[in-house]
Amino acid sequence: MEPAEFIKKKVNHKYILDARQQQKDLSYFIQGSLQEEITIEYLRVWSNRKYASDNKFLNWVKLVFKTENFLSFYKYLRNPVASAKLVNDDIKPQLRRVFHADDSVFKYSVKGIEETCHADLNSKQFDEELFNAILFDHNSVVVQDIDIESKRYREIVPISKIVSVDCDRDQINKIAYYSCLELENSSIHGFSYIDKDQYIFFDRDYNIIVQSFHDLGVCPADWVSSENMFQENNVVKKSIFSYALPDFEEYVFLKTLQRMTEPNGAIPVTVQLNAKETNPSGELRKGLSKEPMSSAILGAQTSDDTNPIAPSESDIQAGSIVKVKASKDVTSGKVDMDVVRNYFQFHYMPVEALNYLNERIKEIEKMILSSMIGDIAEQNEAAKNEMQVSKGYDSKEDRLRWLSNELSRIKQLSDFKTLALLHGKDKVSVEVFFGTDFFIESVDDLYKSFSLAPNAIERRKILKRISQTRNKHNLQQAKRDTILYDIIPYVSDKDFSTAMSTEAQVDPVVFQLQTRFDYWISIFEAEYGQIELFYEGLGEMTESTKMITIKNLLKNIIQNEQKSFSNA
């Protein structure tokens, strides 16, 4: 099939439309939208329409409620909806742990030069874009489209722009999407077509404007998400939020109902006897004009206008004096006090209904959080045995490992194809892995493990883990602590006491380093600079060689100072 025909035919168009709708349905709950100001008249017309809108949630609420109740519900539904707050404030920050794994691997080799991050990739920014795409735009496609002049090498194309796509389960063979070609003095809107051999830009009339070829051997485009939502097609992808959609709907529905009940607590529904008004408004009053602070009020002139802007004459306000005509009971002849007592009746929401609503909302919120980031119960419940805590950690790690696999896959594909297009596929190798160890345990749990550790090797490992957990948002400090924990001879008083009790005891230099550790590190840094920067400056040495080098320099500093004291 020729490229222009491929675009016109709109291959897999039905599934593309399904993916767009799926994306829109999820986006409403996980990202929200700006709050619109809509008049009640417009809303009433909309609610009385017989056809559905493109918002499935509101269609469902409209189907459940009669018109007046739907209008009341809509007035209390505020955007961004409650579930969007839950996703962005509670779920997303927890999932960001994927960037802080202890065992992550990033290795690049370009023309024989090995490095951990290549400058052409702009990795930090692109990793953030990939992370957000997996969460909020999971049906999108990453396209490697090299623009040397602007140094733009790739973009994430949303499903809303895709026109035609031919794909297998694991790869895209051909793709066309809406795009814009920027020229020096103008812009041309049209279609970008990509396959395993070429790039073509067509204008709206399907004329070829630009055509270029590549030798990658595969199409330089990949789905952001790897898992299909359905077996019958390879276009609609699975999101981490896909199966939580019914829970999001119920959560937003109940949170809105809860918001509707709150005014009823402060301003209850009131029933009043239909008694004759004591102060009817609208009577003729001299000396009052319709306008506030008018000349009539100031005394310049008078008016006989009827005042239609009367103050509130409601009896239900502080300071009101309500007069009820006394009526007598026919049988006893006494004044009927029930009329006085029941002149006003106040109606509140039943406490049982409010309690049910609160508990159900908490239950759904817990279900959503658990399905997104694992079992969070151990954070909120005091009584937990070791097995329950371990199970909670495992469920969290399962979610993060899934996200790590998704990120690792798409980043490795994109990084390799970008570098291969820039430098040649035979001159490039890429290894990307975001890791599996995400420091799920709390610092308190790690300190307990430290105290129970069976030997010095395990204690040193746990101490490093404590530092990395505590400094997961300060990677430079975590790196520094790790180096220091490798340098200090004994990481616990228990190990040092054991060493001192032996017959050989401890070497004097080691004793000095252990007992005056901070002092010797400060002397070292005064001469060589910050220890973590010095460590990194040792270049291509192995880690063990770097540590031996630093320890030997510290040993020399200690011995030289001891000599100077002995010679003094």
Side-chain angles (χ1 to χ4, degrees):
M1 188 186 301
E2 292 298 315
E5 186 65 24
F6 176 77
I7 299 173
K8 293 176 184 177
K9 191 173 181 181
K10 295 185 177 180
V11 176
N12 281 315
H13 182 61
K14 176 187 179 301
Y15 297 135
I16 291 171
L17 292 179
D18 289 343
R20 289 178 186 173
Q21 185 62 53
Q22 181 212 39
Q23 188 73 54
K24 189 167 187 176
D25 294 345
L26 279 175
S27 181
Y28 179 77
F29 291 102
I30 64 180
Q31 288 185 289
S33 58
L34 293 176
Q35 180 62 45
E36 294 181 308
E37 292 298 333
I38 299 177
T39 63
I40 195 67
E41 291 78 12
Y42 173 87
L43 191 58
R44 189 181 298 278
V45 171
W46 180 86
S47 66
N48 285 324
R49 291 172 182 164
K50 300 301 181 184
Y51 56 85
S53 73
D54 60 352
N55 188 311
K56 293 181 180 178
F57 174 68
L58 290 179
N59 291 337
W60 171 63
V61 177
K62 180 181 171 183
L63 185 66
V64 171
F65 282 159
K66 59 184 181 181
T67 299
E68 290 302 320
N69 288 342
F70 171 77
L71 293 176
S72 180
F73 179 91
Y74 193 92
K75 284 188 291 184
Y76 285 97
L77 177 67
R78 311 304 290 171
N79 285 304
V81 294
S83 58
K85 181 179 184 298
L86 194 65
V87 169
N88 286 276
D89 288 356
D90 296 322
I91 295 173
K92 183 179 176 180
Q94 290 290 329
L95 294 177
R96 287 189 61 81
R97 286 176 179 265
V98 74
F99 290 116
H100 306 295
D102 184 41
D103 54 346
S104 59
V105 177
F106 301 98
K107 292 182 180 179
Y108 300 88
S109 176
V110 179
K111 298 179 180 178
I113 300 174
E114 294 188 358
E115 50 194 339
T116 57
C117 181
H118 197 278
D120 289 337
L121 299 174
N122 194 14
S123 285
K124 186 173 183 180
Q125 179 181 341
F126 186 66
D127 291 353
E128 287 288 338
E129 292 176 6
L130 283 181
F131 175 77
N132 286 318
I134 289 173
L135 293 188
F136 302 119
D137 203 7
H138 68 285
N139 284 312
S140 56
V141 172
V142 178
V143 173
Q144 284 64 233
D145 190 0
I146 305 301
D147 181 352
I148 299 294
E149 286 187 14
S150 303
K151 293 188 176 180
R152 292 175 55 194
Y153 305 140
R154 50 191 174 184
E155 63 176 319
I156 297 177
V157 179
I159 190 67
S160 59
K161 288 187 177 181
I162 296 174
V163 177
S164 185
V165 63
D166 172 36
C167 59
D168 300 322
R169 181 175 180 83
D170 298 324
Q171 70 177 32
I172 293 174
N173 302 316
K174 302 177 184 178
I175 189 169
Y177 55 93
Y178 295 112
S179 63
C180 180
L181 179 64
E182 299 291 342
L183 301 177
E184 187 174 347
N185 297 316
S186 63
S187 300
I188 302 176
H189 292 274
F191 310 95
S192 288
Y193 167 87
I194 308 175
D195 61 23
K196 68 181 182 62
D197 300 311
Q198 62 186 329
Y199 297 88
I200 304 177
F201 179 81
F202 294 88
D203 64 15
R204 293 276 178 89
D205 296 321
Y206 304 101
N207 299 310
I208 295 178
I209 306 301
V210 177
Q211 183 176 19
S212 60
F213 296 88
H214 65 84
D215 60 354
L216 196 59
V218 294
C219 182
D222 298 280
W223 294 109
V224 162
S225 299
S226 65
E227 295 184 56
N228 292 340
M229 185 73 183
F230 308 109
Q231 293 295 325
E232 64 267 20
N233 75 81
N234 298 313
V235 176
V236 183
K237 299 300 177 181
K238 177 185 173 184
S239 163
I240 191 174
F241 303 114
S242 292
Y243 291 105
L245 188 56
D247 293 330
F248 284 141
E249 288 182 333
E250 186 175 1
Y251 184 71
V252 173
F253 181 74
L254 293 181
K255 286 289 282 187
T256 307
L257 292 183
Q258 186 182 54
R259 190 176 289 127
M260 292 170 66
T261 66
E262 289 168 354
N264 187 231
I267 308 173
V269 176
T270 309
V271 178
Q272 177 183 348
L273 287 176
N274 189 16
K276 184 178 179 180
E277 293 186 20
T278 57
N279 290 313
S281 60
E283 62 184 10
L284 290 177
R285 302 178 186 179
K286 291 187 177 182
L288 293 179
S289 171
K290 296 178 183 179
E291 299 297 328
M293 294 304 292
S294 66
S295 58
I297 295 178
L298 297 175
Q301 63 183 37
T302 60
S303 171
D304 290 336
D305 290 343
T306 300
N307 179 15
I309 311 175
S312 173
E313 301 293 344
S314 172
D315 291 334
I316 310 172
Q317 54 183 292
S320 295
I321 300 175
V322 180
K323 297 180 181 180
V324 183
K325 184 178 179 180
S327 61
K328 294 184 179 181
D329 186 270
V330 177
T331 306
S332 64
K334 296 180 180 179
V335 174
D336 188 355
M337 293 303 296
D338 285 341
V339 175
V340 179
R341 282 192 294 267
N342 299 323
Y343 187 79
F344 293 121
Q345 284 290 326
F346 300 99
H347 297 273
Y348 299 89
M349 281 287 294
V351 175
E352 295 82 1
L354 293 175
N355 288 339
Y356 168 78
L357 195 58
N358 289 334
E359 291 303 316
R360 181 57 183 164
I361 288 171
K362 290 177 183 178
E363 183 179 347
I364 298 172
E365 185 173 305
K366 183 177 176 181
M367 286 168 53
I368 292 172
L369 292 175
S370 179
S371 64
M372 297 301 106
I373 56 177
D375 184 9
I376 63 163
E378 74 276 1
Q379 297 177 357
N380 303 318
E381 297 175 16
K384 283 282 177 180
N385 60 43
E386 187 175 343
M387 183 176 293
Q388 287 172 310
V389 172
S390 177
K391 184 180 178 182
Y393 290 150
D394 288 343
S395 64
K396 284 185 178 182
E397 286 183 335
D398 287 343
R399 307 305 189 278
L400 288 168
R401 284 170 182 159
W402 173 86
L403 183 56
S404 172
N405 288 335
E406 288 290 281
L407 267 175
S408 300
R409 167 198 158 271
I410 187 59
K411 180 174 171 62
Q412 174 144 337
L413 284 169
S414 181
D415 286 357
F416 174 78
K417 290 180 179 181
T418 300
L419 294 175
L421 289 168
L422 285 168
H423 305 285
K425 62 181 180 181
D426 297 329
K427 300 176 182 178
V428 171
S429 68
V430 174
E431 183 181 357
V432 170
F433 181 52
F434 277 87
T436 58
D437 191 356
F438 305 103
F439 308 107
I440 298 297
E441 309 97 319
S442 68
V443 173
D444 287 343
D445 290 329
L446 289 170
Y447 273 121
K448 290 177 184 175
S449 299
F450 181 84
S451 64
L452 298 173
N455 55 58
I457 296 174
E458 288 300 313
R459 279 190 282 273
R460 194 180 296 272
K461 286 181 181 178
I462 294 170
L463 203 58
K464 290 181 184 179
R465 194 171 182 84
I466 289 171
S467 172
Q468 290 168 314
T469 301
R470 187 169 49 220
N471 297 303
K472 59 179 176 288
H473 300 301
N474 188 348
L475 299 183
Q476 193 67 20
Q477 183 62 45
K479 180 70 174 177
R480 175 183 175 82
D481 288 353
T482 300
I483 294 170
L484 295 178
Y485 290 146
D486 277 331
I487 293 172
I488 193 170
Y490 305 100
V491 294
S492 73
D493 293 342
K494 182 190 296 185
D495 298 327
F496 185 53
S497 298
T498 302
M500 290 294 292
S501 65
T502 60
E503 291 183 9
Q505 294 201 350
V506 176
D507 180 84
V509 173
V510 173
F511 181 86
Q512 279 290 323
L513 185 58
Q514 178 71 28
T515 56
R516 304 176 66 195
F517 186 74
D518 289 343
Y519 172 75
W520 296 118
I521 293 297
S522 66
I523 297 297
F524 179 95
E525 292 186 326
E527 185 169 349
Y528 298 104
Q530 284 184 262
I531 200 163
E532 67 273 18
L533 299 180
F534 181 85
Y535 180 92
E536 292 170 1
L538 293 175
E540 298 300 320
M541 291 183 184
T542 63
E543 290 188 10
S544 58
T545 304
K546 289 180 181 181
M547 294 310 305
I548 291 171
T549 301
I550 293 174
K551 288 179 180 179
N552 284 337
L553 289 173
L554 279 166
K555 182 178 180 180
N556 291 337
I557 290 172
I558 295 170
Q559 289 175 335
N560 290 337
E561 184 162 317
Q562 287 178 330
K563 285 179 182 178
S564 64
F565 273 117
S566 62
N567 294 332

